[in-house]
Amino acid sequence: FPKWTIIFLIKKAMKFEPTKLSKIIEQNYSHLIPDFLEMQTEYLASLNIIYHDLDASLVAMVLTSELYKNSIHEHNKEKISLKYFYQKGSFKLPEKSLKIKDISTLLNLPRETVRRKKEKIIKDNLIIYDKKNKIYLLNTNMIEQKIIDLHIDNLSRFLSKFSVFFSRNRFFVREVSKEKIKKDVEEKFLIYFTKFLDFQISYFSKMKTFADIETIFILLLCGLNTTAQIKKKDSPISSKEIFSKLHSFNDTLGLNATSISEITKVPRTTVLRKISFLEKTGMIKKDKFKRYSSDDVNKSKEANKVLSIMDHNINLLGVFFSECLETYAAKN
């Protein structure tokens, strides 16, 4: 075969159909979603440690993603591994390449909010703005190694657990261990994390059409606590059925407001306000001990909207995982 034909066949073999992945996620929702929610809540908690402001962290996500992409472009994929992450001047981005209006559109945030949060990130020295050259620089000295390690460990664990289900559904040729994926993530750090950040941007942007980011954090946390109990059941429950069956599991215990506040770092009074909203919309319920857990979304006042968001995010997750599988499969 001609060389170009072989290259085409290899690339075609490495393509993973996102719709098939999404279908598997939908069918095995009760077994897969706890791992996903664990990744999401741990990620939000780590952002709180770095930025102390979740809206600011969303703006930082967009800037960081563009900084990573620009670095890949400039270095022609030569310095994409984790060992180059703390190299001085590795990440820079011309100011003109990303405007406030673009970030506002991506995040479903008002322009004025984006402007204020961007100024906060620069004031806190997390992103450096070079006025003379009109460029943004990522201040990697402000990002602790243990946070990066946590993100890599979290992502690797998540991808490995999902690969098990895809392998058993004869979609992926074999199960991939967390250690193997972690090694690959460290070697192709920028590639994996631009995909990861772009996924998070799209995910939270869609979620924000329902509620603010702090409320979403609380909702995800309650969802993790509730679905973690159901994961113990032998037979997987689909995304269409899971919430209507929550009430049948007596071992599903909720979280109290104090615990939610401690985990999310959101003040308890604010947590109670956010919980009140989620209760009114039928997203969570309270037991006699004032513990909160996920409720039947199908009976929610916002059922159509929330179910539409869920479907969107399952499809988004299928795309994200297919991209990660292709990245893993591409050894060169």
Side-chain angles (χ1 to χ4, degrees), residues 4 66 151 191 315:
W4 66 268
E66 294 303 316
H151 286 173
I191 294 177
N315 291 332

Side-chain angles (χ1 to χ4, degrees), residues 52-285:
H52 309 290
D53 183 324
L54 287 176
D55 277 333
S57 71
L58 292 177
V59 175
M61 264 191 243
V62 177
L63 289 170
T64 304
S65 175
E66 294 303 316
L67 282 159
Y68 284 4
K69 289 173 186 174
N70 196 54
S71 179
I72 292 173
H73 175 73
E74 284 193 348
H75 294 122
N76 297 316
K77 298 186 178 180
E78 291 176 1
K79 296 183 178 180
I80 60 172
S81 68
L82 180 62
K83 70 179 182 179
Y84 291 105
F85 182 76
Y86 288 98
Q87 187 175 23
K88 190 174 181 180
S90 292
F91 306 102
K92 53 188 176 182
L93 179 72
E95 181 187 24
K96 63 181 180 181
S97 63
L98 196 63
K99 302 293 184 182
I100 285 178
K101 66 177 182 179
D102 299 328
I103 302 175
S104 173
T105 301
L106 278 171
L107 296 175
N108 272 321
L109 276 176
R111 291 189 188 185
E112 179 56 26
T113 302
V114 171
R115 185 191 63 78
R116 286 190 291 103
K117 299 306 179 182
K118 189 177 79 168
E119 286 180 356
K120 180 185 183 300
I121 295 167
I122 293 171
K123 183 180 178 181
D124 292 344
N125 209 32
L126 291 156
I127 299 286
I128 299 169
Y129 177 58
D130 183 339
K131 291 183 180 179
K132 181 180 178 182
N133 297 305
K134 293 186 177 181
I135 59 172
Y136 296 114
L137 297 162
L138 179 63
N139 188 1
T140 54
N141 292 329
M142 295 292 288
I143 304 174
E144 294 182 34
Q145 180 68 49
K146 65 179 181 181
I147 297 294
I148 294 294
D149 290 341
L150 174 65
H151 286 173
I152 292 174
D153 194 72
N154 203 2
L155 176 60
S156 302
R157 182 172 67 248
F158 164 72
L159 293 176
S160 176
K161 285 181 178 179
F162 268 46
S163 77
V164 172
F165 275 88
F166 296 142
S167 174
R168 291 175 184 175
N169 280 272
R170 299 180 181 180
F171 186 80
F172 192 40
V173 289
R174 66 186 183 282
E175 298 175 12
V176 185
S177 69
K178 174 188 163 184
E179 289 69 29
K180 285 184 178 179
I181 290 184
K182 187 174 181 179
K183 184 174 183 292
D184 203 59
V185 171
E186 289 175 346
E187 290 174 353
K188 307 170 187 171
F189 178 77
L190 294 188
I191 294 177
Y192 274 101
F193 270 79
T194 50
K195 297 181 188 303
F196 177 75
L197 289 170
D198 287 349
F199 164 76
Q200 296 294 0
I201 291 162
S202 297
Y203 176 86
F204 287 114
S205 176
K206 190 66 174 179
M207 292 292 278
K208 276 177 60 57
T209 61
F210 170 70
D212 62 83
I213 190 67
E214 289 181 338
T215 303
I216 295 302
F217 195 174
I218 294 167
L219 182 62
L220 294 179
L221 189 61
C222 289
L224 170 60
N225 184 65
T226 304
T227 56
Q229 305 290 332
I230 298 174
K231 187 181 178 181
K232 298 173 184 176
K233 309 301 174 184
D234 293 331
S235 300
I237 304 170
S238 74
S239 61
K240 307 296 182 186
E241 303 175 290
I242 187 169
F243 290 102
S244 62
K245 293 188 175 182
L246 291 178
H247 67 279
S248 64
F249 301 109
N250 296 323
D251 56 351
T252 302
L253 302 177
L255 296 168
N256 61 39
T258 301
S259 297
I260 293 172
S261 176
E262 289 174 352
I263 296 169
T264 62
K265 307 301 180 188
V266 175
R268 190 174 183 278
T269 51
T270 305
V271 166
L272 290 171
R273 279 195 295 106
K274 309 293 184 184
I275 283 173
S276 177
F277 165 77
L278 291 170
E279 277 190 284
K280 287 176 182 176
T281 54
M283 295 301 297
I284 63 173
K285 61 182 179 180

